[in-house]
Amino acid sequence: MTLNQVQFAVLGQLFHTPVKGDFQYLPKALVCIDSQGNILSVTTAGDGQFETNIQQLDQAGKLTRLTDSQYLMPGMVDLHVHAPQWPQAGKGLDLPLYDWLQDYTFPLEAKFADNNFATPMYQAAVSTLLANGTTSAVYFATIHNQASLTLAKTCLALGQRGFVGKINMDDASQCPDYYVEKTAQGLADTEQFIQDVLALPGNEQRLVSPVVTPRFVPSCTREMLEGLGQLTAKYSCHVQTHCSESDWARDYSLEHYGKSDVAIYQEMGLLTRRTILAHSIFLSDEDCRAIKQAGASIAHCPLSNMYFANAAMKTREILDQDLHAGLGTDISGAPVPSVFHTCLDAVNHSRVREDGTNTQLAASQRGESGSRISFLEAYWMATVGGGLAIDTKVGLFTPGYAFDALIIDTCAPDSDIFIIDQLDTPRDKLEKIITLNRRSNVRKVWIQGKQVVNKDC
Ligand code: GUN
Ligand code: FE
């Protein structure tokens, strides 16, 4: 490494999770970032030239030094978030999925036909996620091209790594008449959207990518799903959709196609290495094999599952089978815009599943023993697992990976994180940070080496 290659460097303690279920803590690491925003090197005391490099970088004005209460951590990846639903986050969650969609969600999303309405909503959604430490987000927009492009432009302007989908909904028997598209027009609009995102000025490094987005099986005709499969192949696009999310959604597919969501998406050419299946609650062994073979990913949305899934997620089995899996907030099927919180939700969700809920049953029959996940596994999903799902080198401090990173300060104003050096091991500290992190603890955010949030430290 020569000084010239370094755009800037960060010196301090860092956490990340190179191995699922484990963590690495470096008490004093020097992370150097190149001119493209990628990690050039990660060195520690004992590596040759360590102190000299620090001195030279400092003299060149290229060094950021963390304080004792600050931690460098990978940016969080939100694999499933509905940006147009941010205005209703915290509303309507006493309803089951079908009613929530009809009564709250479709009327709100239909308003995005007006780009003037959409613009401030998307600004608020993206900046809120960024402030909470979400460096990559996989977004559902709405059926409208102009507003969906506004979401892509908003990600680009605010510097967030965005995967943005114009939604497809063309089955008139399932979609409301005020929020539905015609099949051929929907496909043409989708192709136009893909091209427009790829051609956005300032998107040469592909910070923002288009995503083929059939909302879910009930909202789309067979022709639409087939056409989207062809577009996916033509543009090597990412794909996102809801998969076997609830009893109702699962039963709909069985009744109309005689097969599971996974089998339908596979038949339509929509199950690829770049596919992200939100929820995936009711998976058969065959579904899991198909997902693994395709290299597709699951976006586990634990809090939303509490409201809509009618069952618990098989997170333990999915991790044990080494399927690609990350976490999603599923705003506004759940109201909390923080993937740190989603980690806690994932642990809690698995704990309730393990113990069960019916007090009439004996403890041994109440739950599903051995099904809990650890906070380290949840955090791995939020970072490394998310990076695998978006097929992008993020989530680790490793040379060649993008520098998508956060400074978390446990002594930030209004912090709930209480670290006691005499009592807390590095593992305790990491668990406390993941569990109690709030927006105020996220002091700086970098994406692809660019600082996009700076709350003065
Ligand atoms: N299924 C179809 N649409 C939606 C949505 O907007 N949110 C959730 N959670 N599930 C869905
Ligand atoms: Fe969703």
Side-chain angles (χ1 to χ4, degrees):
M1 180 196 82
T2 64
L3 194 60
N4 280 344
Q5 291 175 284
V6 181
Q7 184 197 159
F8 67 97
V10 182
L11 177 68
Q13 51 190 335
L14 71 75
F15 281 117
H16 65 165
T17 52
V19 175
K20 186 167 63 183
D22 202 351
F23 73 102
Q24 187 177 34
Y25 170 67
L26 300 179
K28 188 177 180 188
L30 178 67
V31 182
C32 293
I33 293 92
D34 70 15
S35 60
Q36 300 298 304
N38 294 318
I39 296 170
L40 198 57
S41 61
V42 181
T43 50
T44 54
D47 292 328
Q49 308 287 306
F50 184 66
E51 294 301 336
T52 323
N53 284 340
I54 291 171
Q55 258 180 17
Q56 288 182 349
L57 287 162
D58 206 7
Q59 275 163 12
K62 292 182 175 184
L63 190 66
T64 297
R65 283 177 194 270
L66 305 196
T67 67
D68 288 349
S69 63
Q70 294 179 336
Y71 298 80
L72 187 67
M73 298 177 69
M76 302 298 254
V77 182
D78 190 341
L79 286 184
H80 184 59
V81 47
H82 297 263
Q85 296 176 18
W86 176 233
Q88 70 173 9
K91 294 205 286 190
L93 290 172
D94 48 355
L95 294 178
L97 177 61
Y98 183 87
D99 300 335
W100 175 81
L101 286 171
Q102 302 292 335
D103 296 357
Y104 283 86
T105 305
F106 292 157
L108 172 60
E109 289 190 13
K111 292 187 196 302
F112 285 70
D114 176 2
N115 196 46
N116 290 327
F117 176 81
T119 303
M121 300 300 152
Y122 282 151
Q123 180 79 21
V126 175
S127 52
T128 300
L129 293 185
L130 276 175
N132 279 283
T134 300
T135 48
S136 296
V138 184
Y139 287 115
F140 276 55
T142 61
I143 65 171
H144 316 99
N145 270 43
Q146 194 188 9
S148 301
L149 200 59
T150 294
L151 176 56
K153 287 179 188 170
T154 306
C155 293
L156 206 52
L158 297 180
Q160 189 180 48
R161 196 180 295 286
F163 298 80
V164 180
K166 168 230 157 343
I167 290 184
N168 292 103
M169 303 169 58
D170 71 321
D171 189 331
S173 71
Q174 295 299 315
C175 304
D177 55 6
Y178 61 83
Y179 191 41
V180 64
E181 60 188 354
K182 297 264 186 266
T183 311
Q185 187 64 49
L187 285 168
D189 286 350
T190 303
E191 182 154 23
Q192 186 64 53
F193 176 75
I194 293 168
Q195 292 175 354
D196 287 348
V197 172
L198 294 176
L200 274 178
N203 198 20
E204 294 73 24
Q205 254 193 309
R206 191 69 70 78
L207 192 68
V208 180
S209 303
V211 186
V212 167
T213 309
R215 182 174 204 121
F216 64 157
V217 171
S219 69
C220 294
T221 61
R222 176 183 278 276
E223 298 73 50
M224 175 61 84
L225 294 174
E226 282 169 357
L228 292 175
Q230 285 161 15
L231 285 178
T232 301
K234 182 169 174 186
Y235 291 93
S236 302
C237 263
H238 294 263
V239 177
Q240 62 181 341
T241 187
H242 296 91
C243 177
S244 296
E245 177 181 5
S246 64
D247 282 318
W248 167 69
R250 184 260 326 260
D251 292 347
Y252 183 95
S253 296
L254 290 177
E255 274 163 32
H256 288 77
Y257 290 84
K259 53 178 82 165
S260 71
D261 281 7
V262 171
I264 296 168
Y265 295 136
Q266 186 177 32
E267 182 187 327
M268 305 296 172
L270 291 164
L271 192 71
T272 77
R273 167 67 186 89
R274 293 184 151 192
T275 296
I276 296 171
L277 301 167
H279 308 297
S280 307
I281 299 291
F282 298 98
L283 297 184
S284 65
D285 291 347
E286 209 180 327
D287 290 336
C288 289
R289 275 196 295 275
I291 292 171
K292 186 157 184 173
Q293 200 178 10
S297 304
I298 292 169
H300 174 33
C301 307
L303 187 54
S304 156
N305 293 162
M306 303 279 200
Y307 302 118
F308 293 149
N310 315 123
M313 178 74 174
K314 290 187 163 183
T315 321
R316 176 75 273 143
E317 291 84 337
I318 282 161
L319 289 172
D320 289 346
Q321 289 171 54
D322 275 333
L323 299 187
H324 291 165
L327 296 178
T329 57
D330 196 18
I331 282 168
S332 66
V336 186
S338 162
V339 184
F340 284 97
H341 199 285
T342 310
C343 291
L344 179 60
D345 296 330
V347 172
N348 296 348
H349 189 93
S350 77
R351 298 294 295 262
V352 173
R353 178 184 174 212
E354 179 166 79
D355 283 348
T357 57
N358 187 345
T359 54
Q360 306 298 315
L361 296 175
S364 60
Q365 282 157 19
R366 208 176 291 142
E368 298 183 73
S369 72
S371 58
R372 70 170 177 261
I373 66 163
S374 72
F375 80 93
L376 286 174
E377 289 169 319
Y379 186 54
W380 179 92
M381 285 198 278
T383 52
V384 181
L388 284 170
I390 56 177
D391 199 15
T392 304
K393 285 186 169 179
V394 296
L396 283 175
F397 295 112
T398 301
Y401 275 58
F403 188 67
D404 286 18
L406 318 175
I407 291 183
I408 301 298
D409 194 335
T410 57
C411 290
D414 293 330
S415 176
D416 289 332
I417 307 171
F418 185 38
I419 303 275
I420 312 136
D421 278 325
Q422 306 95 292
L423 299 181
D424 293 332
T425 62
R427 185 191 164 98
D428 295 333
K429 291 177 185 176
L430 178 57
E431 184 171 3
K432 282 184 167 183
I433 289 171
I434 293 168
T435 310
L436 288 166
N437 185 71
R438 300 285 176 269
R439 181 182 177 129
S440 61
N441 298 105
V442 182
R443 304 313 294 177
K444 288 187 197 292
V445 179
W446 288 273
I447 298 173
Q448 197 64 51
K450 187 169 163 217
Q451 196 169 314
V452 297
V453 172
N454 185 12
K455 304 174 202 162
D456 279 333
C457 307

